[in-house]
Amino acid sequence: MTTKIVYYKSLLCPRCIPTSKMLKAFRQRYPQVEIEEVEVIAHPSRAREAGVRQVPTIVVGSQRINKAMPLERFAQLVFAEEKQR
């Protein structure tokens, strides 16, 4: 089973720019991992239901990440979460 990533973002969020770039690079390197992007301005109820209170927020299994990080570190977190399932 592949871990699904849900990325809560906003077009008005300057911190979402580097996070979006990181996820774009991740998607290119690992196209088998599903990444769903949720624009919180357009879908505030989705964010509220998920308990998301800030952007960017990346939900990977039970983990919440609120900033960009080096691609290799992010991949480790994603695949470690997958192994725990």
Side-chain angles (χ1 to χ4, degrees), residues 2 26-27 29 33 43-44 50 54-55 57 61-62 68 72-73 75 83:
T2 301
F26 181 85
R27 182 179 279 135
R29 188 173 293 179
V33 178
H43 304 284
Q54 67 178 6
V55 289
T57 295
S62 62
E72 295 76 23
R73 177 70 183 127
K83 287 180 184 179

Side-chain angles (χ1 to χ4, degrees), residues 3-64:
T3 299
K4 180 180 177 182
I5 296 170
V6 183
Y7 172 39
Y8 295 89
K9 64 179 187 166
S10 170
L11 293 173
L12 304 175
C13 167
R15 293 181 335 132
C16 292
I17 295 168
T19 304
S20 292
K21 288 179 181 179
M22 178 197 71
L23 285 173
K24 180 179 179 182
F26 181 85
R27 182 179 279 135
Q28 289 174 342
R29 188 173 293 179
Y30 304 101
Q32 73 276 16
V33 178
E34 181 182 354
I35 301 174
E36 178 184 5
E37 295 187 8
V38 178
E39 171 57 55
V40 299
I41 293 174
H43 304 284
S45 62
R46 287 269 326 266
R48 204 170 26 256
E49 289 169 8
V52 172
R53 297 184 182 266
Q54 67 178 6
V55 289
T57 295
I58 304 169
V59 178
V60 181
S62 62
Q63 297 186 63
R64 290 178 180 247

